[in-house]
Amino acid sequence: MAELEGKILGRYELKELIGRGSMAEVYKGYDRLLKREIAVKVFKHTEEQMLLRFIREAEVMSQMSHPHLVTIYDSDSSLIGNIAWYYYIMPLMKGSTLRTRIQRSPL
């Protein structure tokens, strides 16, 4: 899905692919309204059950507040061509991925 680099989802510009998981890919992005770097998690499947899980994840995480959890700023869907892309917006965290940290040593 790196073909989304440079694309616009809503008010968010996707700069570069920075992470990949089983359900979604994460891009370094830019919020053109608030003029700040953000992370954009983009759903990458077509199965409805997986989409419902992705949407539920955004809903649950947006209602939680804890220093060890990432805040969800926004979630939405946007058309690129005739494809609807579902995504949510989080703060951009500098450093390595969780997968890389676990591979180096247990948390």
Side-chain angles (χ1 to χ4, degrees), residues 19-86:
R20 179 175 283 135
S22 62
M23 185 169 49
E25 293 184 340
V26 179
Y27 288 83
K28 179 179 178 182
Y30 184 73
D31 182 336
R32 299 182 308 158
L33 178 65
L34 298 178
K35 299 179 179 21
R36 65 179 173 181
E37 289 188 325
I38 41 88
V40 184
K41 188 170 186 177
V42 182
F43 181 70
K44 67 179 184 178
H45 288 278
T46 57
E47 300 91 22
E48 186 174 345
Q49 285 301 109
M50 292 293 285
L51 175 59
L52 294 174
R53 180 176 164 196
F54 182 80
I55 292 169
R56 181 74 178 134
E57 179 180 289
E59 290 172 352
V60 169
M61 292 300 294
S62 71
Q63 296 171 17
M64 301 178 110
S65 177
H66 189 277
H68 297 282
L69 296 176
V70 176
T71 302
I72 303 293
Y73 292 150
D74 190 17
S75 67
D76 205 352
S77 65
S78 185
L79 287 175
I80 297 179
N82 61 351
I83 299 172
W85 295 94
Y86 293 84

Side-chain angles (χ1 to χ4, degrees), residues 1-16 27-30 32 38 40 42 78-81 85:
M1 250 178 32
E3 76 270 8
L4 290 179
E5 289 179 353
K7 303 288 187 199
I8 305 293
L9 293 175
R11 70 183 207 218
Y12 308 104
E13 181 179 348
L14 304 179
K15 298 284 191 177
E16 69 178 281
Y27 288 83
K28 179 179 178 182
Y30 184 73
R32 299 182 308 158
I38 41 88
V40 184
V42 182
S78 185
L79 287 175
I80 297 179
W85 295 94

